[in-house]
Structure formats: structure tokens, C-alpha cells
Amino acid sequence: QVQLVESGGGLVQPGGSLRLSCAASGSISSRATMGWYCQAPGKQRELVAVITSAGYTNYGDSVKGRFSISRDNAKNTVYLQMNSLKPEDTAVYYCNAFDGRSYWGQGTQVTVSS
């Protein structure tokens, strides 16, 4: 059994910051690629950022220069630091782990509004 639990979402004003966390537990491989994806109403789920077990990263075009993904292997936790938030960042953010199979967290709502 693999479980991914997200935290840190909420309501923030434009230009503000949030830090999302995702704690993994269960039989997930330590070599798993971890990532964050977002889904806004009426839209497909989109890549935000991914990070490999070796620390290589990739970002969606809309968040480059604003968001940063990191991981703490000792804590089995992946983070997403979100800066300079825009209203168009409003979405449900999902944590993902991939080790040949794909696992998803429950999602956490991020709302950017005045």
C-alpha cells in the first residue's frame, strides 16, 4: 500500500507564496520520480514540476522562475515552493509518485484571489 498525503494549500493573495508538502508512505521505491500536477475546473491535469531521485527537475512553462520543487529523501517528502502566485494558478494540486506504477494524493486546493 502506497499513500501520498498533501498539505499546505489554501487561499492567498496575488503575489503571495505558499509551500506545499507531500509525505509518502508504504512500499514506494526510493528511486521513484515525484511530482506536482494541477487541475483547474474544466481543464486537463497539467504538469507543474517533477523531480527524480537523483535531483533532476523539470517544470511546466507557466511556473518556470516562480515555483521550485525539492525533496527530502530521509523524510520521504516532496515540496513545492510557490512564489509570485497569480490568479491563473488557482487549481487543485496533486502529488504524484511514479516507480513504474503511478500513485496520486488526494489533492489540495490552492486559490489565488484578492
Side-chain angles (χ1 to χ4, degrees):
Q1 181 178 339
V2 174
Q3 187 176 34
L4 305 175
V5 180
E6 300 112 324
S7 62
L11 175 65
V12 65
Q13 294 184 345
S17 297
L18 286 173
R19 179 177 165 89
L20 306 184
S21 299
C22 173
S25 62
S27 59
I28 187 72
S29 170
S30 62
R31 296 172 58 219
T33 296
M34 307 288 293
W36 292 93
Y37 296 75
C38 66
Q39 187 166 26
K43 296 184 178 180
Q44 292 184 317
R45 191 168 297 185
E46 298 181 343
L47 170 71
V48 177
V50 294
I51 184 168
T52 71
S53 61
Y56 295 99
T57 60
N58 190 40
Y59 295 90
D61 288 341
S62 66
V63 307
K64 289 179 179 177
R66 299 189 298 122
F67 293 5
S68 180
I69 190 170
S70 61
R71 64 194 293 168
D72 185 336
N73 291 331
K75 296 181 179 180
N76 289 327
T77 300
V78 63
Y79 305 94
L80 184 69
Q81 180 65 46
M82 310 167 72
N83 299 322
S84 302
L85 283 160
K86 304 174 181 180
E88 50 263 46
D89 296 321
T90 296
V92 177
Y93 285 74
Y94 296 91
C95 180
N96 173 262
F98 182 77
D99 66 355
R101 295 182 176 180
S102 188
Y103 305 94
W104 294 93
Q106 80 285 354
T108 185
Q109 177 71 46
V110 172
T111 302
V112 185
S113 176
S114 298

